[in-house]
Amino acid sequence: MNVLVEMSDIGKSFPGVRALHGARFELRAGEVHALMGENGAGKSTLMKILSGIHARDRGTILVQGQPVEIASPAQALALGISMIHQELSLMPDLTAAQNIFIGREPRKGFGLLLDEARLNAQAAEIFAGLHLALDPGTPVRSLTIARQQMVEITKALSHRSRVLIMDEPTAALNAAEVNELFAIIARLKADGVGVIYISHKMDELQRIADRVTVMRDGAYVDTVPAATTSIDTIITMMVGRSLAGDHPGPAPVASAPAVLQVSGLRRGTAIRDVSFTLHRGEILGFAGLMGAGRTEVARAIFGADPVERGEITLNGRRLAIRRPQDAVRAGIGYLSEDRKQFGLATGMDVRNNVALACLGRFTGFGGLLKEGAMRDAAVRYIGQLGIRTPSDRQEARLLSGGNQQKLVIAKWLLRDCQVLIFDEPTRGIDVGAKSEIYRLLADLAQEGRAIIMISSELPEILRLSHRIAVMCEGRLTGILPGGASQEEIMRLATQRDANGVQGDAGAGARPMAEATA
């Protein structure tokens, strides 16, 4: 058994977050080893340590039996370790061959000129070894995503890499392109290359993986053979943590009047005919794995991204939402997952941020702001939401993450939005502040606000949601009651070929193929 990589007792912390503790991983030559786990399980952090992007705090790494320190991606490459990220890093205006050998181009004329003929010949040689029919002189911009991925693989192999880390390699590929990629991976296996395969797509495991390692909450869970381990077992390993306090979810509110109805929303492959209803006083949780399309749906409803088709109705009135201003005027507020970039003006004070969504209300004669009225509004919400700040003149950037989130909420409450969309409401917030945000969301629902909550944390979804809409690859694959299990959610979150219509009755845990409109 030729072990290429062995990672043991790996620990890594970032400010306020313990990302990895006691993590381990082993990769053998000529195997595809799948690395699985929920969002935030620590998979990417572990692989970034192996590829030299992050430095570990503790633990050992052996490469072909020798202990190593991997201080940079260049050092990882020198050790034969390459990582292909989900977001490809090619230069679109360069050719395939130029991208492969960038910074290492063969030269002629005393090193003054690039040797394009030799460059293309070297790329063609690697393409031939992979049975790839690809012209090295083709500009990357003109290649499909799948072909660009092949260029990334070729670039990694040009460094004579024996370890290839692939992060969600099929996320943007169709079925034919996936088959082509898998054929390439099979050839790499036959050549003794070890492939670390990070994916959320359960159906790919038994097609391609030899072994599966599962991580949960930054720690190692187990390594199992892919061929003889059921998908249900792997899902249970991924979500097996117990829920503190055992929160079954709030009581259903299906009898409450419908506030927001979304029908047939579509935008390419990102949103595929999504339909659902949101009721008064309801928190509708949106669950799904990374890239499932949850944020895309929220941005489409808010008018931040255009849609190809679909209908949005608020209180029985059809809306024409072409930009965020249209949504705001209709009474829809959106709290982005990146509050610092999209939710706050961090260089401005608390007072101005609270007033930001309705400045017209505070504008007097000659365009002068009514500072007194703005102060009164800010002070009211500082007290109501418990925003910890020395005064309403404190700059937003100086507040903690939890208080910044409350400040964004205050902005939309002052606007008196009927529908509030919370995208990852507790991202980057400490445990104490999370509880305050949870209580605040529950209070808003009790007041009759209709809330869409997107979260990658299943305990958070289960704790707060009256119903849970689950997405996979742009489709709404099921709507579950708030008391559903993590296993039920994960099953729908990995249900790739969902057929049928989206239903929004609160009648229980039905896959979409069985739901009725």
Side-chain angles (χ1 to χ4, degrees), residues 259-262 278 297-303 312-315 317-321 323-335 357 411-413 415-422 449-452:
V259 174
L260 181 76
Q261 290 180 297
V262 175
L278 176 67
V297 167
R299 287 177 59 86
I301 293 170
F302 193 63
I312 299 170
T313 303
L314 186 68
N315 294 320
R317 182 171 63 89
R318 184 174 178 178
L319 302 179
I321 299 177
R323 52 185 187 157
Q325 291 93 321
D326 298 331
V328 173
R329 275 194 290 269
I332 301 173
Y334 177 45
L335 291 84
K411 175 179 72 174
W412 293 119
L413 292 183
R415 183 76 202 192
D416 198 27
C417 293
Q418 297 179 64
V419 175
L420 291 169
I421 304 171
F422 288 81
R449 313 268 182 179
I451 295 171
I452 292 172

Side-chain angles (χ1 to χ4, degrees), residues 103-232:
R104 303 174 292 135
E105 300 90 346
R107 294 182 174 270
K108 61 184 179 179
F110 303 101
L112 299 175
L113 302 172
L114 294 181
D115 191 341
E116 290 283 352
R118 213 163 111 223
L119 181 79
N120 289 334
Q122 289 176 352
E125 185 179 346
I126 304 175
F127 288 153
L130 295 173
H131 301 268
L132 260 180
L134 186 57
D135 181 358
T138 306
V140 161
R141 185 184 299 281
S142 65
L143 298 175
T144 64
I145 294 295
R147 289 280 155 155
Q148 290 183 25
Q149 195 128 42
M150 304 307 175
V151 173
E152 284 275 25
I153 293 171
T154 307
K155 183 178 178 180
L157 296 178
S158 73
H159 290 277
R160 303 193 182 282
S161 298
R162 305 305 295 166
V163 176
L164 194 58
I165 306 165
M166 307 183 80
D167 190 359
E168 297 286 351
T170 62
L173 307 187
N174 62 35
E177 291 168 338
V178 168
N179 289 335
E180 186 178 10
L181 176 65
F182 285 1
I184 296 288
I185 291 174
R187 293 185 195 110
L188 295 176
K189 279 181 59 176
D191 288 340
V193 175
V195 177
I196 301 172
Y197 192 89
I198 302 173
S199 178
H200 287 123
K201 298 177 180 177
M202 297 292 178
D203 61 322
E204 293 178 357
L205 293 187
Q206 290 170 329
R207 284 186 63 189
I208 194 169
D210 299 296
R211 291 190 294 163
V212 180
T213 287
V214 177
M215 294 184 67
R216 186 172 68 239
D217 296 334
Y220 172 85
V221 176
D222 201 1
T223 298
V224 294
T228 56
T229 307
S230 71
I231 297 299
D232 283 351

Side-chain angles (χ1 to χ4, degrees), residues 35 50 73 102 107 137 208 260-261 277 327 353 366 383 391 444 457 482 507:
L35 183 56
L50 181 59
I102 192 162
R107 294 182 174 270
I208 194 169
L260 181 76
Q261 290 180 297
T277 297
N353 270 283
S391 77
L444 290 172
E457 297 186 28

